[in-house]
Amino acid sequence: MTGFWAKCLFRISVLIALLSVPARASATEDAARLALIIGNASYGTVSALDNPANDARMISKTLEGLGFTVTLAVDLGQIEMKRTIAQFGRDLRAAGTEATGLFYYAGHGVQSFGNNYLLPVDVALSDAADLDLMAVEAQSVLRQMASARNRTNLVILDACRNNPFENVPDLNESGLAEMKAPTGTFLAYATAPGSVALDGQEQNSPFTEALVEQIVVPGQPIEQAFKEVRRAVLAQSGGQQTPWDTSSLVSDFMFAQAPPSPILTAAETEELQLWRSVSAARDPVQLMLFLRGYPDGRFAQEARDLLAEVMAEELSVGSSAPTKPSPAPATPDEAETALFKAAQEDGSLAAYEAYLQSYPAGTYAEIATSEIAALKVGESTDPIGEGVESARVAPSPQPGALPRQPEAGPVTFASPLVSDLSEISGLSLAEIIEQAPMFPPVEGLPESYWKTQNCSACHQWTRARLCTQANTYLSLNMQRSLSKQHPFGGVLKRSLKSWAAGGCQ
């Protein structure tokens, strides 16, 4: 093994090792998730509710399964509510700035003078002026959460059922008012501001029931989750209840993280890497070879679609844009030539792929891609190495007839060739490369993309490029390519080899 090739293999092995190291989990994935869940149902002096305690328990259990540290409190009086909220604020501040805080409340809630109040179970009110003394202002929860200066806070209020103080003067507004929250906060309401939500005829409210179904969906952003909640509640309530949300979040949030990407096998990784290279190049020849190697692969349909798109672009008629002349083929540098020769000497799939990774658009890229395709489909060929196309393009010789061979002397660019294919026999290399394909290069490709087109348009053949390719057939390691059938029969590759042996005259 040459020193140059050894260095290349070392660089490749280091790259593979680096790619195989799992990425560190982000700080937010390891950050604390704290939730305070309050459900008030057993009111003493106002109408009791059926479902808030059930809703609180259900949402609590669901959040615990999603990695939240949950504090669950049911049927709290005012003092207990304020103490519990204050403790939640202390816990959130201690959790650090990367923590996520979530406050959920189910129960009675009212608004007065644009402020929202959550009602403890021991509330007793005869005058609207006493509301802030008897209830818990919702804004106090936001103040506690904002004091933690953490990245993400979520407030969910299923508290717009009915106004238990409709007979109290100056306290006859329905539902809750829309609140303003600090940056980094997501606010969700069971129904639109000023509207009344349904308590539900089953054990849970329609809003919380839909919420629990959506927050467990892996990889679903919070905005999409609440959009789905809104759709579900609208459908269940016949359009009577529209859940509402407002956001000032500055980072992405998902209740349930997306599942990790599946671990690919070596063959799947190889296919993926080759597809990325081929799709980026948008070269029809590479796409055709890719499809021959992976006719039923996971990217086969994408490859067919991209091939059709690329061919349509190249073969479009009537475009007003001037045609750009094809750039002259660049002379390969010594490093590229050395790497390609090393790949030929090695003859393995990894060696040719190593060349393509370093020179995806290099002088020998088309040849390397062809070799890769040949190596991958080797198992599907017959014992003497003839490709599956041979049966379609090379007619069987008549019984007793001797096979016709190319002329014995060195082939020139203009000398006529001898072939079993009448369409090819008598033509020179210069003429053959201007011929149209005899069958679709890729199964299922529409005739309009290939039938009347010449091969040099697809391969971008020039005499200089063709000579470069022909010279590769002089190598003993390229005999495999010579045995692979071509749409023009085996005569083309054998003649190219003979032409190169004579100095491409």
Side-chain angles (χ1 to χ4, degrees):
M1 181 181 292
T2 65
F4 177 82
W5 181 235
K7 291 179 181 178
C8 289
L9 287 179
F10 175 74
R11 291 170 60 190
I12 293 169
S13 63
V14 170
L15 177 60
I16 293 172
L18 290 173
L19 291 175
S20 65
V21 176
R24 288 184 60 192
S26 66
T28 54
E29 290 177 348
D30 295 330
R33 288 178 155 197
L34 306 182
L36 172 58
I37 311 298
I38 297 178
N40 286 344
S42 301
Y43 289 91
T45 60
V46 299
S47 58
L49 296 170
D50 294 329
N51 293 329
N54 297 332
D55 293 335
R57 293 187 180 98
M58 182 171 66
I59 197 77
S60 176
K61 183 178 180 180
T62 304
L63 290 174
E64 285 178 345
L66 294 172
F68 281 81
T69 300
V70 177
T71 299
L72 172 63
V74 175
D75 292 335
L76 298 184
Q78 186 197 44
I79 294 176
E80 289 86 355
M81 273 189 75
K82 289 186 175 181
R83 286 176 176 171
T84 302
I85 292 170
Q87 183 61 50
F88 178 59
R90 287 190 289 271
D91 293 341
L92 200 54
R93 288 189 289 275
T97 57
E98 295 298 322
T100 295
L102 185 149
F103 175 78
Y104 170 92
Y105 174 79
H108 276 307
V110 297
Q111 64 165 303
S112 177
F113 298 103
N115 293 327
N116 293 324
Y117 295 88
L118 311 179
L119 303 187
V121 294
D122 59 357
V123 65
L125 191 69
S126 58
D127 195 299
D130 296 335
L131 184 60
D132 60 341
L133 302 176
M134 305 297 296
V136 176
E137 187 180 9
Q139 201 69 34
S140 66
V141 178
L142 294 176
R143 284 194 292 269
Q144 287 289 335
M145 299 177 85
S147 70
R149 302 183 185 278
N150 55 315
R151 182 186 296 271
T152 304
N153 285 313
L154 316 174
V155 176
I156 304 171
L157 302 177
D158 193 356
C160 318
R161 288 167 167 80
N162 65 329
N163 182 4
F165 304 122
E166 289 181 346
N167 297 325
V168 175
D170 301 323
L171 196 58
N172 54 9
E173 294 180 272
S174 298
L176 298 181
E178 189 167 7
M179 297 186 294
K180 293 183 179 180
T183 300
T185 305
F186 188 93
L187 280 167
Y189 309 85
T191 192
S195 300
V196 176
L198 304 175
D199 190 38
Q201 298 179 351
E202 304 296 333
Q203 291 187 347
N204 299 102
S205 77
F207 173 76
T208 297
E209 193 172 56
L211 178 61
V212 166
E213 291 179 358
Q214 291 302 319
I215 63 177
V216 296
V217 176
Q220 182 168 235
I222 186 172
E223 295 84 359
Q224 184 63 33
F226 277 89
K227 186 184 294 183
E228 296 300 329
V229 169
R230 184 155 47 249
R231 289 173 178 164
V233 174
L234 277 168
Q236 186 172 348
S237 66
Q240 297 180 42
Q241 180 176 337
T242 305
W244 205 262
D245 57 70
T246 181
S247 174
S248 63
L249 292 179
V250 294
S251 58
D252 297 332
F253 180 81
M254 294 176 240
F255 286 95
Q257 297 298 320
S261 300
I263 299 175
L264 301 179
T265 64
E268 290 170 336
T269 301
E270 183 179 273
E271 180 184 359
L272 174 61
Q273 291 174 344
L274 185 58
W275 168 241
R276 285 174 176 170
S277 174
V278 168
S279 59
R282 293 177 64 86
D283 178 78
V285 176
Q286 293 188 31
L287 286 166
M288 292 173 190
L289 291 170
F290 177 83
L291 281 168
R292 289 178 187 177
Y294 297 98
D296 301 313
R298 47 189 297 225
F299 305 106
Q301 189 56 52
E302 290 182 62
R304 292 187 185 95
D305 294 343
L306 182 57
L307 177 60
E309 179 184 328
V310 171
M311 294 294 285
E313 291 173 358
E314 294 193 1
L315 306 177
S316 59
V317 180
S319 173
S320 59
T323 302
K324 295 182 179 179
S326 299
T331 302
D333 58 29
E334 293 183 3
E336 180 186 354
T337 300
L339 182 57
F340 181 71
K341 286 183 177 179
Q344 286 184 293
E345 292 173 4
D346 186 276
S348 68
L349 186 66
Y352 284 108
E353 286 181 339
Y355 166 80
L356 280 178
Q357 287 176 2
S358 298
Y359 299 96
T363 303
Y364 310 104
E366 184 176 328
I367 304 167
T369 306
S370 179
E371 281 300 291
I372 289 173
L375 286 166
K376 289 181 177 179
V377 300
E379 297 85 358
S380 65
T381 58
D382 64 52
I384 62 171
E386 291 294 325
V388 293
E389 288 87 355
S390 60
R392 295 196 289 176
V393 299
S396 301
Q398 295 296 323
L402 294 175
R404 302 173 70 186
Q405 300 295 332
E407 57 191 66
V411 174
T412 68
F413 198 56
S415 62
L417 308 178
V418 177
S419 172
D420 291 326
L421 298 175
S422 59
E423 295 88 347
I424 301 303
S425 187
L427 298 180
S428 66
L429 289 174
E431 293 169 321
I432 288 177
I433 63 175
E434 295 298 328
Q435 299 299 303
M438 298 169 60
F439 59 84
V442 176
E443 191 70 32
L445 192 66
E447 289 188 356
S448 60
Y449 292 145
W450 64 271
K451 195 157 191 177
T452 60
Q453 310 304 322
N454 64 64
C455 295
S456 61
C458 180
H459 288 273
Q460 296 181 343
W461 271 332
T462 63
R463 182 166 179 167
R465 288 176 65 92
L466 198 62
C467 182
T468 299
Q469 180 171 340
N471 273 283
T472 65
Y473 296 134
L474 296 175
S475 168
L476 292 175
N477 290 289
M478 291 299 285
Q479 298 309 306
R480 185 190 303 106
S481 289
L482 289 173
S483 68
K484 293 295 179 183
Q485 191 61 282
H486 187 275
F488 291 147
V491 66
L492 180 62
K493 290 183 178 180
R494 292 194 297 270
S495 298
L496 285 173
K497 179 181 178 181
S498 177
W499 179 50
C504 294
Q505 299 299 313

